[in-house]
Amino acid sequence: MEPMVSQMWPRVLQWLHRASVRPRRSHSGCAEHATVPASTTSRHIKPTLLVSRLYQPSNLRDMGQDSRLQGELTCKSQRLMMQAGLIHPSNPGCYYYLPATVRSMEKLGRVIDQEMQGIGGQKLDMPSLCSADLWKTSERWDLMGKELLRLNDRHGVDYCLAPTHEEAVTTLVAHQTTLSYRQLPLLLYQITRKFRDEPKPKFGLLRGREFYMKDMYSFDVSEEAAYETYESVCEAYARLFARLGLRCVKVQADTGNIGGKLSHEFQLPADIGEDRLLVCGSCSFSANVETMASDRSDCPQCKTGTLVESKGIEVGHTFYLGKKYSRVFNATLINAQNKLSVAEMGCYGLGVTRILAAAVEVMSTEEEIRWPGLLAPYQVCVLPPKKGSKVDGAAVLAEELVHTLGETLPHMRGEVVLDDRTQMTIGKRLKDASRLGYPYVIVVGQGALEAAPRFEVICQQTGETMFLSKDGLLDLLGRVETV
């Protein structure tokens, strides 16, 4: 055995050496480039996120795809997101969300978590596959009609793929027979896939059959307390949209098949919007047309203002449910008099994928995506010079800048990519970066080689171009909010 072991050791050492210089992979799943030290005295350079390794296949951007899958390219956000390789059609009304889009969705999820947990929300996860018995008990199995995606298992038991979870969450709470008024308000929420059998999916992520939604459900001891909870959620929604830099209008709305006593929609004004809104120019009143007489032009709130019609994209909806579901499913609690009381409920939705697409719709130009700053997949794209150009030496400085940003500004770690496609001109890469909507693009060129190095910084949101020193650049990016 000993001679065999002695023969194996050289091969083992050789394998270990090769493994030590292989490219590594980041936690985000993006490939990382590892620079191998030229000598034992060379400074080690940490891995970098490279544009060439990001999964946005150019062939997925081909607009000649099967029209049955993509449908008509009827809105700006759908066209831009497909052209950028951010989404790709799967089935009618269903899309692949590619890595950059997933990053944006996860960031939006974190903003939602912050706002919901800021008012006491607790996150959970409920099954998408829901028993038909629950929906029949609430009488929504027939009420929802063909929009409900139904199926049965091998035993012939009926289920649906839930478009919303009022029945499920109320049943969950009903199983807890010791819920006390001291534990209220109870706010349970999730961010998960939802399903709706849309008769004609369109507008990309704005109206699909499979989508992501944040849905929250509140339980209170009294009607007065439930209204307070309702208002706190509406205020949290307003803060969320303000943080995203989106102008959102809260309008009175119909309760629809959800039911309840009170309902409001949160609408982003947009020409592509499918909802018709009436907004008063003199006070804060606004409503969905479906809640009012179609020919009414005077404001019912201030009595003097004139109602002006506009279009909007619904991105959020709130409902005060009262005891509609809690009475049916016997969701009770122990009140201050130590007696059982039926819970007062509310439910609150945010269309996660719809917010993402709606933001692209209202903020972008016809040719270039513009993101809410917090939701951009990556905050910074660094462009080194073209290979073989007169300032080729600045390429090393570009890579060093990427590492400096990550090490000096902790909040920018994982937010800076290096466009290493140096076979392409700076102009072509600039156009690509602008089309994809990185909030900040840094060109490392001749200025970086000067005695006092300067970097060209393009702020995509404002269109402003600045020439900054490294300290100036660090100061600028140090003030960028990330999530």
Side-chain angles (χ1 to χ4, degrees):
M1 292 293 292
E2 289 184 1
M4 184 177 298
V5 172
S6 64
Q7 292 172 10
M8 289 175 60
W9 268 113
R11 281 178 287 176
V12 171
L13 291 172
Q14 186 179 25
W15 178 86
L16 288 172
H17 173 72
R18 286 201 303 269
S20 69
V21 297
R22 285 177 184 162
R24 292 175 292 174
R25 213 164 272 276
S26 73
H27 295 301
S28 66
C30 297
E32 293 178 330
H33 168 72
T35 303
V36 182
S39 68
T40 56
T41 58
S42 298
R43 181 174 61 83
H44 179 66
I45 300 178
K46 293 183 179 180
T48 303
L49 288 168
L50 303 177
V51 168
S52 67
R53 304 294 297 275
L54 302 179
Y55 189 68
Q56 285 181 286
S58 58
N59 64 297
L60 295 187
R61 307 178 191 183
D62 180 11
M63 302 312 289
Q65 297 288 338
D66 186 350
S67 60
R68 183 186 66 85
L69 295 181
Q70 69 181 28
E72 295 181 14
L73 296 174
T74 49
C75 71
K76 181 169 54 178
S77 59
Q78 180 187 12
R79 175 173 54 80
L80 289 175
M81 294 181 82
M82 288 183 63
Q83 287 176 341
L86 297 174
I87 59 174
H88 182 65
S90 171
N91 308 308
C94 301
Y95 286 84
Y96 294 94
Y97 307 119
L98 285 113
T101 305
V102 171
R103 282 181 62 89
S104 289
M105 286 172 54
E106 289 174 343
K107 289 180 177 184
L108 178 53
R110 289 195 285 273
V111 178
I112 292 172
D113 285 340
Q114 290 171 1
E115 294 299 336
M116 295 303 99
Q117 292 170 20
I119 58 172
Q122 301 178 64
K123 198 171 186 178
L124 79 169
D125 197 351
M126 292 181 277
S128 293
L129 190 63
C130 292
S131 167
D133 289 342
L134 293 181
W135 285 70
K136 289 175 181 177
T137 300
S138 68
E139 300 182 347
R140 289 208 297 169
W141 183 257
D142 295 322
L143 182 63
M144 287 289 290
K146 293 183 178 180
E147 285 194 3
L148 199 62
L149 276 165
R150 308 158 197 259
L151 64 157
N152 49 37
D153 66 10
R154 65 179 68 191
H155 306 293
V157 178
D158 289 329
Y159 293 89
C160 68
L161 293 176
T164 183
H165 277 78
E166 284 79 12
E167 289 82 358
V169 74
T170 313
T171 300
L172 173 68
V173 172
H175 283 303
Q176 183 184 352
T177 57
T178 58
L179 184 64
S180 168
Y181 73 96
R182 293 187 179 91
Q183 297 171 267
L184 305 181
L186 175 63
L187 295 98
L188 302 175
Y189 79 98
Q190 62 179 352
I191 299 176
T192 188
R193 286 180 186 262
K194 302 288 189 180
F195 304 87
R196 183 178 295 132
D197 196 357
E198 289 284 354
K200 189 178 180 182
K202 57 182 177 179
F203 301 142
L205 302 188
L206 292 178
R207 183 163 294 282
R209 303 173 75 192
E210 181 180 10
F211 50 93
Y212 278 89
M213 189 169 86
K214 187 282 306 181
D215 48 323
M216 182 159 72
Y217 307 89
S218 64
F219 298 82
D220 278 282
V221 71
S222 67
E223 187 170 327
E224 181 183 9
Y227 275 116
E228 289 179 5
T229 298
Y230 185 94
E231 286 304 318
S232 73
V233 176
C234 289
E235 289 168 5
Y237 278 17
R239 286 193 299 271
L240 183 145
F241 290 114
R243 288 181 64 185
L244 298 180
L246 297 173
R247 185 171 73 87
C248 197
V249 180
K250 176 185 172 185
V251 305
Q252 294 181 14
D254 185 15
T255 57
N257 56 40
I258 299 290
K261 303 178 180 179
L262 177 68
S263 175
H264 287 89
E265 293 170 347
F266 289 77
Q267 297 271 357
L268 291 187
D271 291 338
I272 198 67
E274 296 183 273
D275 289 295
R276 294 166 57 206
L277 315 176
L278 291 173
V279 181
C280 178
S282 301
C283 71
S284 60
F285 178 83
S286 54
N288 194 308
V289 167
E290 64 188 12
T291 68
M292 302 182 65
S294 59
D295 60 346
R296 181 162 189 171
S297 60
D298 60 307
C299 177
Q301 181 170 290
C302 69
K303 309 300 183 183
T304 58
T306 301
L307 298 178
V308 178
E309 184 173 321
S310 63
K311 292 183 178 180
I313 301 171
E314 181 192 335
V315 288
H317 208 149
T318 58
F319 300 84
Y320 170 53
L321 300 173
K323 298 176 180 177
K324 174 180 170 63
Y325 295 91
S326 52
R327 183 177 285 116
V328 170
F329 293 101
N330 198 31
T332 59
L333 53 92
I334 301 172
N335 62 24
Q337 289 74 43
N338 204 32
K339 295 181 179 180
L340 283 180
S341 174
V342 178
E344 294 279 342
M345 290 180 60
C347 68
Y348 319 89
L350 285 174
V352 177
T353 40
R354 185 178 284 186
I355 289 172
L356 204 63
V360 170
E361 185 72 36
V362 301
M363 297 183 72
S364 302
T365 69
E366 287 299 322
E367 301 298 329
E368 299 171 349
I369 290 176
R370 292 294 177 265
W371 304 93
L374 284 176
L375 305 188
Y378 298 95
Q379 291 290 333
V380 180
C381 182
V382 177
L383 305 184
K386 183 180 180 182
K387 188 175 182 180
S389 69
K390 294 180 181 180
V391 291
D392 196 6
V396 174
L397 299 178
E399 188 169 352
E400 288 180 349
L401 177 63
V402 173
H403 303 315
T404 299
L405 294 177
E407 291 172 0
T408 309
L409 305 173
H411 70 291
M412 297 300 288
R413 289 173 187 164
E415 294 288 343
V416 184
V417 298
L418 179 71
D419 193 340
D420 61 320
R421 301 170 300 166
T422 53
Q423 75 279 7
M424 297 167 56
T425 65
I426 283 285
K428 191 169 184 180
R429 282 178 286 156
L430 266 175
K431 185 176 180 180
D432 214 19
S434 184
R435 186 164 55 89
L436 293 172
Y438 300 99
Y440 299 93
V441 179
I442 303 173
V443 179
V444 182
Q446 179 64 49
L449 297 173
E450 296 174 357
R454 294 179 305 121
F455 301 93
E456 182 180 352
V457 183
I458 302 166
C459 301
Q460 301 270 38
Q461 305 287 21
T462 63
E464 183 183 6
T465 299
M466 300 176 286
F467 293 88
L468 301 175
S469 65
K470 182 180 287 187
D471 287 343
L473 181 58
L474 291 173
D475 179 65
L476 173 69
L477 298 181
R479 290 182 271 113
V480 172
E481 184 184 359
T482 59
V483 64

